[in-house]
Amino acid sequence: MLIKGGTVVGAAGERRADVLVAGERIEEVRPDIRAGGERVIDAGGLLVLPGVVDPHTHFLLDAGGVRTADDFASASRSAAAGGVTTYLDFAPQRPGERFLETLASRRRLIDGQTVIDYGVHLNVNRLYPGWEDDLRALVSAGVTSAKIYTTYRDDIFYMDDWTWYRLMEGAARAGLLVQVHAENDAILDGKRRDLEAAGQTSLAFHGASRPAIAETEAVGRALTFSRFSGSPVYLVHLSAPGSVDLVREARAQGVRALAETCPHFLALDDSVYAGPDAARFLMTPPLRDRSLVDGLWQRLGDGSIHTVGSDHCGFALSARLGVDDFRKVSPGVPGVETSLLVLYSLGVAGGRIDLATLVRVLCANPARVFGLWGRKGDLAPGFDADLVLFDPGPRRTLTAGELHSRAGFSPYEGMELVGKVKTTIARGEIVYDQAQVCAQPGRGRYLPCAPFDPRLGLS
Ligand SMILES: [Zn+2]
């Protein structure tokens, strides 16, 4: 396959070049490659981007009996339609379950269903004495990161500080990267009780129930644990600039810390909670006020935020109808299909970031952080032929009806978009073209991840 005449944007910047694909890999990227009988795809007027590597998805999540409407088939089709060619999903450990069993049972749900490649993070909640060796076995099996939650004390996700610190000590020895959902549980609990006492439990108070201080405090704790344990740490879905600044300061002192944010924290603000559609914006942490949103863009542009993950969680909107109580809603919004569209529209077309930054935070850095570099995240010889042909021209209004998630809604419904994904190519195969997903479930493969390598630069 020869992709001719496009503007190629890779980790090294943008240039006019052709891309020659041989089988599943990129063979050559340079101007004026002569066709030698390959299928030629005209990319004139298009951007040729690396496939998006979404480091944070919950394609099939069971939150205490409430399941996402999406499964791996529907959500991976949605991903392909959004220019995503790789995702990293979470395998939730059941209490008492050994880590390799957790991985195997998650893979049984994904293999045979997914249309694109995937990696797995462990979602760990129990670390029994003697299980530290199991972390090494997990790394050998290609799972090189594990996520903990500092909140949700009432369900299986919560991990106490002592277990968390022990995990980080074990992780430092095993070569595991620890991811943290950072929200101080006691602050959230106290805030919730205050709101209950005031009768303020409607969806309008979702944002107020989870203040930024809860996030920033827990980020500080994660950085301290990282400093003392020697384990690298990855802060998922940061919503507040103050949290990002703590990460940046710790990095300047040698702490191996990484910051992720999500498109919704860049695109939306907390004014929506007062409106009639609050149910479309229920995620944790919640949306913040406009000045914090502006602060996040600035930190995305200056390299303080390393990655953008969708945190896709396809709960059906219908399950929220008539539930006007933030305590009773399973949080999460779909987003894997819209990350590139939202970042391009508001970021690149909006003049807030350049194309190189777009590719860095959506493609290259997620691949570097999670041990997929060399295969994923760039357009260079030897990398998998994962590409997006992106038309930067069209302007339109986003409707949920064009999206492929079974959640049936989007937090970006009604947003003015610039550009569209024309074609997605994964390992040399067209998986999405002209509004059609054309890949079979099961074609995607499990990707064993290498341990996080701090020597790989992130800019
Ligand atoms: Zn998440």
Side-chain angles (χ1 to χ4, degrees), residues 56-58 90 147 149 181 236-237 284 311-312:
H56 187 158
T57 68
H58 305 275
F90 295 88
K147 180 181 177 187
Y149 290 75
H181 174 126
V236 297
H237 56 45
T284 59
D311 200 3
H312 180 100

Side-chain angles (χ1 to χ4, degrees), residues 187-211 325-327:
I187 292 178
L188 298 188
D189 192 50
K191 200 74 195 167
R192 179 179 50 80
R193 281 186 279 111
D194 275 3
L195 289 166
E196 278 169 358
Q200 297 176 330
T201 57
S202 72
L203 298 186
F205 295 95
H206 175 68
S209 73
R210 310 181 86 94
D325 186 332
F326 69 77
R327 300 167 302 173

Side-chain angles (χ1 to χ4, degrees), residues 5-6 15 23 25 34 52 62 75 101 122 165 178 254 275 292 304 339 352 372 374 376 420 430 450:
R15 62 199 194 281
R25 302 281 176 110
R34 284 235 184 111
V52 171
D62 191 333
E101 287 171 39
L122 179 71
Y165 186 70
V178 175
L292 272 61
S304 303
S339 291
R352 294 180 173 98
L372 296 170
K376 305 292 188 186
K420 68 186 285 201
I430 293 174

Side-chain angles (χ1 to χ4, degrees), residues 111-381:
D111 292 327
Q113 296 294 312
T114 185
V115 304
I116 55 170
D117 295 348
Y118 72 98
V120 173
H121 311 296
L122 179 71
N123 182 178
V124 55
N125 52 68
R126 300 286 192 281
L127 182 68
Y128 298 102
W131 281 29
E132 288 83 353
D133 283 346
D134 287 22
L135 295 174
R136 277 196 198 88
L138 197 63
V139 169
S140 301
V143 176
T144 55
S145 64
K147 180 181 177 187
I148 67 105
Y149 290 75
T150 60
T151 187
Y152 302 122
R153 192 181 285 270
D154 295 335
D155 65 33
I156 65 164
F157 293 124
Y158 175 76
M159 182 177 273
D160 66 80
D161 285 357
W162 168 236
T163 309
W164 171 20
Y165 186 70
R166 277 179 44 234
L167 173 70
M168 290 191 71
E169 288 191 322
R173 289 190 293 271
L176 201 74
L177 175 65
V178 175
Q179 303 185 41
V180 180
H181 174 126
E183 282 186 295
N184 179 303
D185 191 68
I187 292 178
L188 298 188
D189 192 50
K191 200 74 195 167
R192 179 179 50 80
R193 281 186 279 111
D194 275 3
L195 289 166
E196 278 169 358
Q200 297 176 330
T201 57
S202 72
L203 298 186
F205 295 95
H206 175 68
S209 73
R210 310 181 86 94
I213 172 62
E215 175 183 278
T216 303
E217 186 285 330
V219 166
R221 209 173 343 138
L223 296 169
T224 303
F225 282 13
S226 176
R227 190 190 307 266
F228 280 80
S229 67
S231 169
V233 69
Y234 179 93
L235 286 311
V236 297
H237 56 45
L238 293 182
S239 63
S243 305
V244 178
D245 292 346
L246 288 186
V247 173
R248 183 173 51 200
E249 289 159 17
R251 284 177 64 84
Q253 295 164 17
V255 176
R256 289 177 294 160
L258 301 150
E260 174 195 273
T261 192
C262 308
H264 41 264
F265 296 129
L266 297 161
L268 301 162
D269 66 57
D270 62 1
S271 61
V272 296
Y273 294 127
D277 297 323
R280 288 202 277 132
F281 309 100
L282 296 181
M283 75 289 282
T284 59
L287 302 172
R288 304 296 181 193
D289 75 41
R290 182 48 57 180
S291 66
L292 272 61
V293 173
D294 293 340
L296 278 187
W297 275 113
Q298 191 193 333
R299 286 154 181 81
L300 191 71
D302 73 15
S304 303
I305 294 171
H306 304 101
T307 62
V308 173
S310 70
D311 200 3
H312 180 100
C313 191
F315 287 121
L317 188 63
S318 55
R320 294 177 183 172
L321 291 178
V323 186
D324 191 18
D325 186 332
F326 69 77
R327 300 167 302 173
K328 294 183 179 155
V329 173
S330 295
V333 295
V336 71
E337 192 169 341
T338 43
S339 291
L340 174 58
L341 289 173
V342 167
L343 256 76
Y344 184 84
S345 298
L346 298 178
V348 178
R352 294 180 173 98
I353 58 172
D354 59 16
L355 276 171
T357 300
L358 178 90
V359 164
R360 194 174 70 233
V361 299
L362 284 177
C363 314
N365 281 353
R368 286 171 174 134
V369 170
F370 293 108
L372 296 170
W373 191 245
R375 283 194 69 179
K376 305 292 188 186
D378 198 9
L379 297 178

